[in-house]
Amino acid sequence: MDEPLARLGLIVTVGLVAVGVGLLLSRRPRPRPPRVDGMAPGVVLFASRGCDSCASAESAVRAAVGDDYRLVVWESDPDTFEHAGVSAVPLVAVVGDHGLEWWAEGSPSSARLRRAARRVSAG
């Protein structure tokens, strides 16, 4: 009879640890969204030369919106990066007439990016 109780205790302990880890991870601060005031509406990809993740993100952006996006490369335009507060690449932003509509770090989901871009173009 001790063995089933020990198993149950182990299961409860593992479950509580998993919940605790989940709560700790959910409390991590989310990176700040980019500041896009003054930027023209559309899709903007912030990237850096030689960044493999940036190349993947650009492929995802191109698959979602074709060639209708602006590429901002850190080495060519550090002032725009500083103004937008971008500290990590790749970062994709969808800018509408009234500011930031949607953004994502890394390679974005094509479906989500396409929906966000459509909302902006539909205005």
Side-chain angles (χ1 to χ4, degrees), residues 46-58 73 75 88-91 106:
F46 293 91
S48 179
R49 291 189 189 117
C51 166
D52 291 338
S53 298
C54 297
S56 296
E58 187 168 10
V73 179
E75 291 84 354
V89 293
L91 185 138

Side-chain angles (χ1 to χ4, degrees), residues 44-111:
V44 181
L45 170 60
F46 293 91
S48 179
R49 291 189 189 117
C51 166
D52 291 338
S53 298
C54 297
S56 296
E58 187 168 10
S59 294
V61 169
R62 187 169 279 131
V65 298
D67 291 330
D68 192 20
Y69 67 96
R70 177 177 171 209
L71 177 63
V72 180
V73 179
W74 181 82
E75 291 84 354
S76 302
D77 197 354
D79 292 339
T80 300
F81 267 74
E82 186 176 331
H83 171 78
V86 174
S87 60
V89 293
L91 185 138
V92 180
V94 177
V95 182
D97 290 330
H98 303 290
L100 185 65
E101 296 284 336
W102 181 86
W103 67 283
E105 290 185 315
S107 288
S109 154
S110 292

Side-chain angles (χ1 to χ4, degrees), residues 14 24 30 36 41 74 83 87 91 104 112 114:
V14 168
L24 284 174
R30 183 162 192 244
V36 297
W74 181 82
H83 171 78
S87 60
L91 185 138
R112 291 186 70 196
R114 202 174 299 119

